[in-house]
Amino acid sequence: MRIVPKDELVNEIGKKFEPGKWVTLDQQRINAFADCTEDHQFIHIDEEKAAQTPFGGTIAHGFLTLSMLVKMIEGIGIAPENVVMGINYGFDKVRFLAPVRAGKRVRVHAEVLDVTTKDGSRFLIKQGISVEIEGEETPALVAEWLSMVVAG
């Protein structure tokens, strides 16, 4: 995480970060997510039946991939000096472009798209997000992710 003086945050617009760490979306994680969300569609949890589909096996829920952004983006990005807290503010233009097959690794790519100063201590940071699937050309998802960051 790069710490930036508050008055210099806008200078970060357009900056790209090194990709995040790889995270494996294995069957155990997919099953746990299915239990948490009560989404037990066969394509996610029934390995035999899912093997008969064009995917050739089970796939992660799109929302599982989206929820893993918090972990995948850990340690990358920008923050103003003296951060008190940051909260998810929402997403714009979320698109699920390719399924993530069980056992595949994914990682995030991020770029600062915009920084809006709400007052002297609150900043809305918009990042362009792409989730790479190891060994595949099409990303799992793309989105614009907004965070509200409060600095002291």
Side-chain angles (χ1 to χ4, degrees):
M1 179 73 63
R2 188 166 56 237
I3 305 301
V4 179
K6 291 186 240 184
D7 60 343
E8 294 179 21
L9 279 172
V10 294
N11 298 334
E12 299 295 309
I13 296 171
K15 299 236 174 122
K16 294 181 181 182
F17 303 102
E18 291 293 319
K21 294 179 181 177
W22 290 106
V23 174
T24 302
L25 297 184
D26 59 19
Q27 192 62 53
Q28 181 179 352
R29 189 185 302 256
I30 293 168
N31 291 345
F33 190 83
D35 289 342
C36 288
T37 61
E38 299 184 18
D39 180 355
H40 294 99
Q41 186 180 168
F42 82 92
I43 196 65
H44 303 303
I45 61 169
D46 187 333
E47 295 179 64
E48 281 185 35
K49 194 171 178 182
Q52 305 307 310
T53 70
F55 302 122
T58 56
I59 59 172
H61 305 71
F63 285 126
L64 169 57
T65 307
L66 184 69
S67 69
M68 292 304 298
L69 286 176
V70 173
K71 177 64 178 170
M72 289 189 283
I73 205 159
E74 193 174 78
I76 64 174
I78 61 167
E81 293 175 314
N82 304 314
V83 170
V84 175
M85 67 177 172
I87 57 171
N88 289 326
Y89 195 75
F91 289 90
D92 290 337
K93 302 177 185 175
V94 176
R95 298 293 181 265
F96 300 103
L97 302 179
V100 179
R101 288 174 289 148
K104 290 294 251 178
R105 295 191 324 161
V106 293
R107 68 178 175 178
V108 71
H109 295 262
E111 171 185 4
V112 178
L113 298 179
D114 194 29
V115 175
T116 304
T117 303
K118 293 296 189 180
D119 59 33
S121 63
R122 293 182 310 129
F123 305 89
L124 186 60
I125 300 173
K126 180 188 280 192
Q127 296 182 85
I129 299 292
S130 176
V131 175
E132 173 187 4
I133 306 169
E134 187 174 37
E136 299 186 24
E137 288 185 34
T138 304
L141 69 86
V142 294
E144 293 177 358
W145 186 5
L146 295 102
S147 301
M148 180 66 70
V149 180
V150 179

